Amino acid sequence: MTVRIGVITFPGSLDDVDAMRAVRIAGGEPVALWHGSHDLDGVDALVLPGGFSYGDYLRAGAIAALAPIMTEVKDAAAAGMPVLGICNGFQMLVEAHLLPGGLIRNAHQQFIRRDQRLRVENNDTAWTSDFATGAEIVIPLKNADGGYIASDDELDRLEGEGLVAFRYLGVNPNGSLRDIAGITNERGNVVGLMPHPEHATEEGFGPDTPAAMRSGVDGIPFFTSAIAAVVGSAA
């Protein structure tokens, strides 16, 4: 079974092609989708990529959350389809209320680019099952509006229900509350995170590792997890 993973391009998307390449490297079939369409083209999973959709006017991800295709994204998510929001895509997911909380300007008011250490807090999702819980990984990060916020009650709920998917290690690069780098919904099919796993899927282009420069491929399990989740649900 070939798993077809749609990657939606919005005006201002920067990492859609990178996400499609990551899907291909992981063994899936990438499918290009357009923000103005109402057709998901029969895909099995969805990626909302990073970038600056609609120029980040109003708030990052706010206009994209109202794009025509988001009607279908919401319906697909409600039906259990795996949906991954990366950086700007994470911002879209919270603006569309598919994930709780919000994302605001980085604490130091600066755009940040770094290879970021993360800890996997929840491997019981469609996008994290190929990780071990507690695994430490390195994923590139690049954002200006990456500070995750939520009310104390909501944060307590996320912690108590195991919905924090990833946490920053070593340094909190953007002031996210409780060092939260990514979260999941209760069902585990919708995941959002600020770092960019699609930039850590091919040796020679990923983060540095002790073995060699630019050899980090910690992003691949995101996409192989989704492929396995789709295959498992079809079995």
Side-chain angles (χ1 to χ4, degrees):
M1 175 184 179
T2 300
V3 175
R4 303 174 75 247
I5 299 181
V7 179
I8 305 172
T9 297
F10 298 82
S13 293
L14 297 180
D15 300 295
D16 45 347
V17 174
D18 301 74
M20 293 180 70
R21 184 173 181 82
V23 169
R24 188 178 294 111
I25 290 170
E29 177 186 343
V31 179
L33 300 175
W34 184 240
H35 73 109
S37 172
H38 283 287
D39 185 3
L40 295 183
D41 198 17
V43 299
D44 304 299
L46 287 165
V47 175
L48 279 61
F52 301 91
S53 59
Y54 298 92
D56 277 352
Y57 292 118
L58 300 182
R59 292 181 308 277
I63 298 176
L66 302 175
I69 202 167
M70 290 301 291
T71 300
E72 282 64 40
V73 172
K74 291 177 181 179
D75 290 345
M81 181 181 288
V83 179
L84 177 66
I86 302 169
C87 195
N88 194 219
F90 185 13
Q91 294 160 347
M92 296 177 205
L93 291 177
V94 299
E95 291 288 346
H97 305 296
L98 288 172
L99 290 174
L103 291 149
I104 62 172
R105 180 69 55 168
N106 292 342
H108 299 292
Q109 304 295 305
Q110 294 178 331
F111 185 91
I112 295 172
R113 162 66 180 95
R114 58 176 288 120
D115 291 337
Q116 178 65 47
R117 290 175 57 222
L118 305 175
R119 183 170 61 239
V120 179
E121 302 284 13
N122 182 342
N123 74 341
D124 191 24
T125 83
W127 297 94
T128 61
S129 62
D130 280 354
F131 292 108
T133 298
E136 296 185 11
I137 61 177
V138 178
I139 302 292
L141 173 83
K142 51 177 187 176
N143 63 68
D145 298 275
Y148 183 76
I149 60 169
S151 68
D152 286 341
D153 287 345
E154 187 65 47
L155 291 168
D156 288 343
R157 185 183 74 85
L158 292 173
E159 300 274 14
E161 296 181 15
L163 302 182
V164 176
F166 300 94
R167 209 180 302 270
Y168 295 117
L169 287 180
V171 63
N172 183 328
N174 43 36
S176 291
L177 298 180
R178 304 196 190 181
D179 298 330
I180 291 174
I183 60 174
T184 180
N185 66 345
E186 292 83 352
R187 191 168 181 174
N189 63 306
V190 179
V191 170
L193 78 162
M194 288 310 297
H196 286 258
E198 77 278 13
H199 294 328
T201 57
E202 188 172 11
E203 290 190 12
F205 300 92
D208 294 344
T209 73
M213 293 177 60
R214 299 190 178 279
S215 62
V217 291
D218 287 344
I220 289 178
F222 286 83
F223 303 96
T224 57
S225 294
I227 291 169
V230 171
V231 172
S233 66

